[in-house]
């Protein structure tokens, strides 16, 4: 058993002011602040400038926020790892249910996020920055987001699509120049009101990361958006569609993407089969408590995984209601850590809380590849 400190904070003001607040907060509270400022081999002034140009065209306000972040951490912007790791390992599960599937007749989103506990921020942030939409979401390197919900009821969650892409040794090299998932998600939450606007913005964004995005809005629309080595495809649903749910784990699900990569790890195929079975075992009436229980049920019968040393441990579980503008969050994939309720309408108080996780060795077989066709 291991004890971990989680955090909630609120960022307001201009992009620079929000970044500065985050940097000063992290310099005091985060044991991982050195990760953000350690620089990155091979990233020089030229590469930093190229990254900044890409951020300027695709991610409004990001450069200003990074400047404030660097000042708050008392370092130079070019020392921020965010530039190298965003300019271009998680394994997650997520589902979207349209109102015909739920007991409260609201669209609902359920997701688990699997990663390594020593590289997870364990921080939920409410961001209310001038000229952007207010949103709540969990952070990556402080500035990025790996999921969230904004004031217009747009929910965005993600999982890797195939082997994770990144600048770190051992990761799949990016096939195109573009953005990491956490910059893409942050931009969608900051600037888009619904699924339609999100799809339009995604079409114009250079994305290097291979990911499955699930987008849901309070207008009862949802979409699965996949990227793979620079290629993009999506499937959208609404109340008139034959399918009233979406789900994804860590391999391509859309036909045009499966043709490009037909191999998947055992754990991804099993989780998709588990989610499909869960979503089809009855005609509807799924409630939030039922979704929460499923998220915290141990793999393979459910989605909670304790394999942190293998970068496959559940760091957070959440249920999002885009109509109510609320998020219920459980850190560490354990009922003992408790579910906490958050709303877009309620400012956050900065606080820290302790949780526990339980690490177990992963069976090697779950990382074996087999055909997904």
């Amino acid at each position: 058993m291991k004890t971990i400190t989680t955090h909630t904070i609120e960022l307001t003001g201009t992009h620079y002011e929000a970044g500065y607040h985050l940097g000063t907060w992290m310099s005091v509270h985060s044991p991982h602040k050195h990760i953000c400022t350690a620089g990155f081999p091979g990233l020089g002034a030229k590469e930093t400038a190229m990254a900044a140009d890409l951020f300027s065209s695709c991610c409004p306000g990001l450069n200003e926020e990074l400047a404030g972040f660097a000042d708050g951490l008392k370092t130079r912007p070019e020392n921020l790892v965010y530039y190298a790791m965003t300019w271009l390992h998680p394994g997650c599960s997520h589902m979207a249910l349209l109102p015909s599937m739920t007991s409260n007749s609201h669209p609902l989103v359920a997701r688990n996020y699997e990663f390594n506990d020593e590289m997870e921020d364990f921080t939920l942030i409410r961001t209310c920055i001038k000229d952007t939409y207010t949103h709540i979401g969990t952070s990556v390197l402080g500035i990025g987001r790996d999921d969230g919900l904004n004031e217009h009821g747009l929910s965005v969650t993600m999982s890797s699509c195939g082997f994770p892409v990144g600048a770190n040794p051992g990761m799949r090299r990016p096939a195109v120049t573009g953005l990491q998932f956490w910059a893409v998600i942050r931009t969608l939450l900051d600037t888009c009101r619904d699924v339609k606007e999100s799809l339009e913005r995604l079409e114009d964004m250079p994305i290097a990361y291979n990911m499955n995005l699930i987008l849901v809005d309070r207008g009862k629309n949802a979409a699965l958006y996949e990227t793979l080595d620079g290629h993009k495809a999506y499937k959208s649903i609404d109340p008139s569609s034959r399918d009233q749910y979406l789900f994804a784990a860590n391999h391509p699900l859309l036909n045009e993407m499966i043709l490009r990569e037909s191999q998947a790890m055992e754990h991804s195929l099993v989780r998709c089969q588990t989610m499909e079975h869960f979503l089809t075992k009855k005609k509807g009436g799924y409630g939030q408590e039922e979704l929460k229980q499923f998220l915290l049920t141990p793999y393979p019968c459910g989605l909670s995984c304790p394999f942190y040393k293998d970068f496959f441990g559940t760091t957070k579980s959440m249920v999002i209601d885009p109509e109510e503008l609320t998020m219920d969050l459980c850190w560490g994939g354990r009922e003992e850590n408790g579910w906490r309720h958050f709303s877009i309408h309620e400012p956050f108080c900065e606080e820290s809380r302790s949780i526990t996780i339980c690490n177990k060795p992963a069976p090697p077989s779950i990382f074996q590849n087999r055909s997904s066709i």
Side-chain angles (χ1 to χ4, degrees):
M1 199 69 70
K2 182 177 181 179
T3 300
I4 292 171
T5 302
T6 67
H7 309 278
T8 56
I9 64 174
E10 174 142 344
L11 302 176
T12 61
T14 64
H15 283 281
Y16 179 88
E17 291 167 343
Y20 186 82
H21 181 180
L22 180 63
T24 55
W25 176 87
M26 185 173 285
S27 68
V28 175
H29 296 283
S30 175
H32 305 310
K33 61 178 180 283
H34 63 283
I35 296 175
C36 295
T37 60
F40 201 88
L43 187 78
K46 179 181 177 181
E47 289 77 15
T48 301
M50 293 171 67
D53 285 343
L54 180 61
F55 297 165
S56 180
S57 63
C58 296
C59 309
L62 178 54
N63 285 322
E64 291 79 4
E65 194 166 335
L66 286 167
F69 188 48
D71 288 347
L73 286 167
K74 295 182 170 54
T75 190
R76 295 179 300 171
E78 55 265 34
N79 289 338
L80 297 177
V81 171
Y82 191 92
Y83 281 101
M85 295 186 69
T86 305
W87 185 53
L88 303 181
H89 186 76
C92 317
S93 308
H94 45 152
M95 307 179 293
L97 293 76
L98 290 187
S100 65
M101 297 279 294
T102 64
S103 60
N104 65 359
S105 297
H106 295 180
L108 292 177
V109 181
R111 76 100 89 254
N112 268 11
Y113 192 95
E114 277 71 49
F115 199 36
N116 171 267
D117 60 286
E118 295 181 2
M119 298 185 70
E120 163 71 52
D121 283 5
F122 286 102
T123 300
L124 179 70
I125 300 179
R126 182 176 183 266
T127 308
C128 187
I129 295 177
K130 183 180 179 182
D131 298 326
T132 66
Y133 299 138
T134 297
H135 74 265
I136 54 178
T138 53
S139 69
V140 184
L141 298 173
I143 300 289
R145 300 290 180 271
D146 44 34
D147 45 53
L149 169 73
N150 74 14
E151 64 180 280
H152 291 286
L154 174 68
S155 165
V156 187
T157 56
M158 66 76 60
S159 58
S160 295
C161 184
F163 197 79
V165 172
N168 302 76
M171 298 184 79
R172 179 171 175 159
R173 302 305 301 171
V176 296
T177 298
L179 299 167
Q180 266 283 15
F181 70 86
W182 53 71
V184 175
I185 293 173
R186 174 68 187 274
T187 298
L188 296 178
L189 293 170
D190 279 347
T191 64
C192 297
R193 293 175 295 180
D194 53 29
V195 170
K196 180 176 181 294
E197 287 188 2
S198 299
L199 293 175
E200 291 171 351
R201 182 167 284 274
L202 285 164
E203 195 61 29
D204 295 330
M205 295 180 78
I207 301 172
Y209 197 80
N210 297 341
M211 63 181 176
N212 295 316
L213 278 182
I214 288 185
L215 308 161
V216 183
D217 63 34
R218 66 192 312 181
K220 304 176 177 59
N221 304 292
L224 169 63
Y225 194 94
E226 294 189 342
T227 63
L228 185 64
D229 293 341
H231 301 281
K232 302 176 180 179
Y234 71 89
K235 171 185 177 180
S236 58
I237 60 173
D238 59 38
S240 66
S241 303
R242 183 187 66 176
D243 295 330
Q244 292 291 287
Y245 62 83
L246 296 168
F247 61 84
N250 299 121
H251 64 277
L253 294 166
L254 303 179
N255 289 334
E256 52 265 62
M257 294 304 194
I258 294 173
L259 292 175
R260 299 182 183 279
E261 185 161 314
S262 60
Q263 293 292 304
M265 288 190 183
E266 177 74 17
H267 65 72
S268 184
L269 293 168
V270 169
R271 283 179 291 133
C272 278
Q273 292 166 1
T274 300
M275 285 187 281
E276 186 168 28
H277 175 73
F278 173 77
L279 292 167
T280 56
K281 68 181 181 181
K282 60 180 185 177
K283 293 184 178 179
Y286 292 88
Q288 291 200 22
E289 294 306 314
E290 191 173 3
L291 293 174
K292 291 176 181 179
Q293 182 178 1
F294 180 59
L295 292 175
L296 299 188
T297 297
Y299 171 93
C301 297
L303 300 179
S304 182
C305 300
F307 315 123
Y308 295 94
K309 297 297 183 184
D310 296 287
F311 285 76
F312 195 51
T314 300
T315 60
K316 56 213 168 196
S317 306
M318 61 181 63
V319 175
I320 298 172
D321 187 327
E323 192 162 324
E324 292 289 336
L325 300 179
T326 59
M327 173 190 292
D328 284 24
L329 172 66
C330 178
W331 291 110
R334 303 181 70 238
E335 188 73 45
E336 293 86 343
N337 293 330
W339 286 90
R340 301 197 63 203
H341 183 75
F342 299 93
S343 170
I344 284 286
H345 301 300
E346 300 171 3
F348 285 4
C349 295
E350 292 190 5
E351 65 174 13
S352 301
R353 293 165 60 98
S354 293
I355 62 149
T356 57
I357 62 170
C358 183
N359 180 60
K360 296 181 180 179
S365 61
I366 70 173
F367 299 113
Q368 293 178 355
N369 280 319
R370 61 184 178 89
S371 175
S372 61
I373 299 176

